[in-house]
Amino acid sequence: MIYVFPTETVYGIGASVWDKEAIKRIFKIKGRPADNPLIVHISRIEHLEEIAWEVPEVAWKLIERYWPGPLTLVLKKHPALPYEVTGGRDTVAVRMPAHPVALLLIEKEGPIAAPSANLSGRPSITTYEHAVEELGDKVDVILKGKTTQGIESTVISLVGRPRLLRPGPITYEELKELLPELVVAKSKEAEAPGMKYPHYQPTHKLYLLTRPDGDFPEVKGAIWRKDIPLPRKLEKVFYYQNERELAQNLYYWIRELDKIGDMVVLGVPEKGLGFSIMNRLKKAAHAILQ
Ligand code: TXA
Ligand code: MG
């Protein structure tokens, strides 16, 4: 059985880690390359013993502080865990989501392997309506619930030297305090195997503007900072007051603007949550304008 379900970050599309056929169907539905592994979602610590192998001391420190929550840990995989879940790797990404609907589903089904619910390459999904638009004719069950973070979990590898593979709601700066040896993985390492593929892209063009006084081509819509005047009148504008609000609404706004045409997004400084947001926007962008 395949479920589309909300988490505190974005919607996921998942199945029991033991149901290899359903897992294969998820790759097919999404159009996801088979070498891009899925995240295993658990609802209780005992599940970890079935999924991971030789969990290091440092993982427990992070788990205690951040689970349930938007932190994914890459660990050695349990020998019994199907390779379909890990894209053929000997490591597995695992997290405990902080969302009552997700936790209830996992309590019923056991550990759930789930990528983000968007079709491969497209922006993630953060509302029930967009989940229905994207997957309504492809899956049987879409569970409803509110996402609060709005961007995907932070991913850290703890196999070898601790590395940040994907920045997210829990910031690099914050993690560095607990884990001083943490480094940002070079993107050319393509360690989070998903990072080498196109990501988060709307159908229309998204221009990422790094300076509010910079010029941008003709567009229909914008995502813009509330206290900065927009230089032109546009058909539809979503305003954010701070980075948290931008993260929470980013994918919803991009998908809504994509319904009318090209868009411009005013970026944010690349620190804290801003670093995670810009990581997504740079990949979503058709062009980055200074
Ligand atoms: O917030 C989230 O993480 C959401 C919700 C649904 O939990 N899920 C999500 O899944 O964003 P997905 O598949 O879109 O992103 C998972 C990322 C990919 O970049 C993938 O390559 C990486 O995690 N990943 C998964 N398993 C890995 C592994 N064994 N080693 C390295 N990276 C891994
Ligand atoms: Mg994704």
Side-chain angles (χ1 to χ4, degrees):
M1 184 83 156
I2 293 177
Y3 301 90
V4 173
F5 62 99
T7 80
E8 80 279 31
T9 58
V10 301
Y11 273 70
I13 176 170
S16 162
V17 293
W18 312 114
D19 189 346
K20 295 184 199 172
E21 287 314 308
I23 304 269
K24 282 189 207 148
R25 270 196 352 258
I26 291 175
F27 280 90
K28 215 173 191 170
I29 290 171
K30 277 185 62 98
R32 184 178 177 101
D35 68 346
N36 191 2
L38 310 185
I39 293 176
V40 174
H41 297 69
I42 62 174
S43 58
R44 51 174 82 200
I45 278 302
E46 300 88 86
H47 285 151
L48 200 54
E49 290 166 26
E50 304 168 34
I51 302 302
W53 195 247
E54 298 172 348
V55 178
E57 207 44 54
V58 54
W60 293 111
K61 216 161 67 169
L62 292 163
I63 287 169
E64 205 168 292
R65 173 98 151 246
Y66 292 111
W67 281 7
L71 180 67
T72 296
L73 302 177
V74 174
L75 301 166
K76 283 188 195 160
K77 129 188 203 310
H78 192 289
L81 185 74
Y83 276 112
E84 281 78 2
V85 173
T86 68
R89 300 188 158 226
D90 287 317
T91 56
V92 61
V94 53
R95 84 177 188 100
M96 187 187 290
H99 195 290
V101 175
L103 291 171
L104 218 75
L105 172 66
I106 303 161
E107 279 296 295
K108 179 180 164 287
E109 286 283 297
I112 296 268
S116 51
N118 55 282
L119 300 184
S120 217
R122 305 248 309 130
S124 291
I125 292 172
T126 49
T127 64
Y128 175 73
E129 289 69 23
H130 284 169
V132 172
E133 278 173 28
E134 185 114 325
L135 297 164
D137 58 350
K138 298 188 173 69
V139 298
D140 298 322
V141 181
I142 301 183
L143 301 171
K144 195 170 181 173
K146 205 172 153 46
T147 58
T148 47
Q149 302 287 349
I151 57 170
E152 308 80 358
S153 63
T154 304
V155 182
I156 302 183
S157 173
L158 296 178
V159 181
R161 176 166 190 186
R163 292 169 323 281
L164 178 72
L165 302 185
R166 180 175 72 184
I170 298 171
T171 65
Y172 173 63
E173 289 86 342
E174 190 182 336
L175 287 166
K176 189 93 180 155
E177 271 175 37
L178 198 72
L179 201 62
E181 64 271 38
L182 184 71
V183 292
V184 180
K186 299 210 172 56
S187 59
K188 69 169 186 301
E189 268 180 85
E191 277 193 280
M195 307 217 308
K196 65 179 183 276
Y197 297 109
H199 257 89
Y200 318 120
Q201 292 173 348
T203 311
H204 288 96
K205 294 191 175 104
L206 184 157
Y207 297 102
L208 174 58
L209 194 63
T210 54
R211 289 180 14 210
D213 55 347
D215 196 19
F216 55 87
E218 198 179 313
V219 290
K220 287 265 169 54
I223 297 174
W224 204 261
R225 212 185 139 101
K226 186 135 198 196
D227 54 5
I228 296 175
L230 186 67
R232 280 178 237 162
K233 198 167 161 37
L234 301 175
E235 213 171 294
K236 192 164 189 155
V237 184
F238 291 109
Y239 291 100
Y240 61 88
Q241 308 207 50
N242 51 48
E243 272 130 34
R244 182 144 177 77
E245 207 182 343
L246 178 58
Q248 280 172 342
N249 296 288
L250 186 68
Y251 293 124
Y252 178 73
W253 288 342
I254 290 175
R255 281 177 172 268
E256 285 301 299
L257 293 177
D258 200 20
K259 291 175 182 170
I260 59 168
D262 295 348
M263 67 197 83
V264 62
V265 182
L266 180 58
V268 290
E270 288 183 71
K271 54 180 188 340
L273 186 56
F275 178 57
S276 311
I277 294 170
M278 289 299 275
N279 167 271
R280 310 302 194 270
L281 280 173
K282 284 178 173 174
K283 292 184 176 144
H286 170 75
I288 302 172
L289 311 171
Q290 309 287 330

